[in-house]
Amino acid sequence: MVAAALDLVVSEGPSALTMRRLAGQLGVTTTTIYWHVGSRDELITEVVRLQSILQATRKVTARTPRTRVMAAARHIWDAALENRAITSLAHQTGTTSILELPLEEALLRELHAAGLSPARADDALRAILATVGGFLLNALRDESSIPPEQRRPSTELPRLFDKSVQAVIDAFLSSPTRSGES
Amino acid sequence: MVAAALDLVVSEGPSALTMRRLAGQLGVTTTTIYWHVGSRDELITEVVRLQSILQATRKVTARTPRTRVMAAARHIWDAALENRAITSLAHQTGTTSILELPLEEALLRELHAAGLSPARADDALRAILATVGGFLLNALRDESSIPPEQRRPSTELPRLFDKSVQAVIDAFLSSPTRSGES
DNA sequence: ACCTGAACACCGTTCAAGT
DNA sequence: ACCTGAACACCGTTCAAGT
């Protein structure tokens, strides 16, 4: 049933996931869904959780700590862009952290492996995730709001993503201090 | 009328802005609203545009180019946090760029003043905005989804914001090249 | 244990009709 | 020019009732 809901989102978009449409797809009544799941929010949480498992199978193959951290960050970016519909759904419903949890844990492990203390790794994780999330917002917005096929920065955005995320990573990998004057 | 809509959003949250509730607030029928404005989306656009004008009166007083760029970036952050309700509304409806347009233009001017070519300033603007937006997402999510009053990072997030945004700014102020190996 | 029908309280939007 | 009443096509959710 949550698999059917996931299919609905993937094939017809996040807004297609209504109780009535899902019920129609399954050949039952809307009230039937409420017997299996408590509410629409719970349904969405389950859909997002299912997708988070499906997309967690990415391996970091880079060799240096710095490139491994960057690779883990890019996995989050790649997974989100490969599954735009569910990413948008999670984003709209505030369940992004559930969707990315496995990939976030992988990133956190790389930060620990890079020699950061737990507290500093948490800070770095938070900062990197915020930066990645910001670029994701940018990338996903440009497809939904701009109707025609003339998307200016489709080739440039990944370059800006790399440069910016790398800068944030380096800031947290190197200095334990506050950002000072130049 | 759009002023009344803005008041509604500020006092009762983004979800309170429905045609029926706004009509009730104004003492008219929902259909009356449709005479003045084409649709709910147009209404929201006007509300966001109004707020964008109200919050555009911030001056950059820092002295060096680097600190002036940072100050312009922090203005976007500050304005968003001071007007959480409309920021969330704009975010949900994909009108964030309208809301921040004046502040974005101010940031772009600082990037030009810092000596960047138009093309490089556009790249830097995009990257900085994405990073700021990511932290904003983070800050606004922690208040809506976490019900109780125990918000862990309310004092730490600004520190991470400063450090990360500064790192991105420095990356684009200094090097015109791709992000290379260390 | 699992499913249905009917209903409640909402939405955005339209259209003919009033002044 | 400006406003209303009634209606359409949707929502999420609940509750008594069926098997």
Side-chain angles (χ1 to χ4, degrees):
Chain A
M1 189 190 112
V2 319
L6 199 154
D7 284 352
L8 228 183
V9 174
V10 168
S11 59
E12 308 204 45
S15 63
L17 182 51
T18 73
M19 304 307 256
R20 282 171 172 80
R21 289 186 70 159
L22 177 59
Q25 198 92 2
L26 293 170
V28 294
T29 320
T30 55
T31 39
T32 302
I33 300 174
Y34 283 89
W35 193 91
H36 293 278
V37 73
S39 67
R40 183 171 183 265
D41 279 352
E42 277 188 35
L43 212 211
I44 290 173
T45 299
E46 290 312 312
V47 169
V48 170
R49 200 191 309 277
L50 173 58
Q51 175 63 27
S52 81
I53 295 168
L54 296 177
Q55 73 180 22
T57 58
R58 288 158 199 271
K59 286 272 176 185
V60 173
T61 60
R63 283 182 305 281
T64 73
R66 197 179 92 113
T67 53
R68 288 182 65 86
V69 169
M70 184 64 190
R74 212 187 325 241
H75 279 174
I76 297 176
W77 165 267
D78 289 340
L81 288 186
E82 284 172 19
N83 307 282
R84 293 159 147 82
I86 306 98
T87 302
S88 296
L89 177 70
H91 178 260
Q92 289 165 17
T93 56
T95 54
T96 307
S97 55
I98 297 173
L99 178 61
E100 296 175 349
L101 199 122
L103 294 175
E104 290 182 12
E105 286 172 341
L107 174 55
L108 187 60
R109 279 194 297 273
E110 293 303 332
L111 290 167
H112 286 151
L116 294 194
S117 70
R120 291 219 283 134
D122 279 354
D123 280 359
L125 177 68
R126 235 179 131 78
I128 295 169
L129 287 178
T131 309
V132 172
F135 276 90
L136 237 27
L137 215 68
N138 220 306
L140 293 176
R141 172 164 44 82
D142 283 353
E143 335 192 308
S144 58
S145 65
I146 300 180
E149 291 297 335
Q150 27 110 259
R151 290 160 198 157
R152 291 191 296 141
S154 67
T155 53
E156 301 187 29
L157 201 57
R159 207 192 80 233
L160 299 182
F161 172 86
D162 274 21
K163 187 167 177 175
S164 305
V165 173
Q166 190 67 67
V168 172
I169 289 174
D170 288 342
F172 281 85
L173 279 190
S174 58
S175 86
T177 62
R178 297 175 149 255
S179 67
E181 326 288 302
S182 103
Chain B
M1 191 190 115
V2 319
L6 200 154
D7 284 352
L8 228 182
V9 174
V10 169
S11 60
E12 309 204 45
S15 63
L17 182 52
T18 73
M19 304 307 255
R20 281 170 174 81
R21 288 187 70 159
L22 176 59
Q25 198 93 0
L26 293 170
V28 294
T29 323
T30 56
T31 41
T32 302
I33 300 175
Y34 282 90
W35 193 92
H36 293 278
V37 74
S39 66
R40 183 171 182 265
D41 279 352
E42 277 188 34
L43 212 211
I44 290 174
T45 299
E46 289 312 312
V47 169
V48 170
R49 200 189 309 276
L50 174 58
Q51 175 63 28
S52 81
I53 295 169
L54 296 177
Q55 73 180 23
T57 58
R58 287 158 197 269
K59 286 272 175 185
V60 173
T61 60
R63 283 182 306 281
T64 74
R66 197 178 92 114
T67 53
R68 288 182 66 85
V69 170
M70 185 64 190
R74 212 187 326 241
H75 279 175
I76 298 176
W77 166 267
D78 290 340
L81 288 186
E82 283 172 20
N83 307 282
R84 295 161 146 78
I86 305 97
T87 302
S88 295
L89 178 69
H91 178 260
Q92 289 166 17
T93 56
T95 55
T96 307
S97 55
I98 296 173
L99 178 61
E100 296 174 350
L101 198 123
L103 295 174
E104 289 182 11
E105 286 171 341
L107 174 56
L108 187 59
R109 280 194 297 272
E110 294 303 333
L111 289 168
H112 287 151
L116 294 194
S117 69
R120 291 220 282 136
D122 280 353
D123 280 359
L125 178 69
R126 233 178 134 78
I128 295 169
L129 287 178
T131 309
V132 172
F135 275 91
L136 237 27
L137 215 70
N138 220 308
L140 294 176
R141 172 165 44 82
D142 284 353
E143 337 193 306
S144 59
S145 66
I146 299 181
E149 290 298 333
Q150 28 109 260
R151 290 160 198 156
R152 291 191 295 141
S154 67
T155 54
E156 301 188 31
L157 201 58
R159 207 191 81 232
L160 299 182
F161 172 85
D162 274 20
K163 188 168 176 174
S164 304
V165 173
Q166 190 66 69
V168 172
I169 289 175
D170 288 341
F172 281 85
L173 280 190
S174 58
S175 86
T177 63
R178 298 177 149 252
S179 67
E181 324 287 301
S182 103

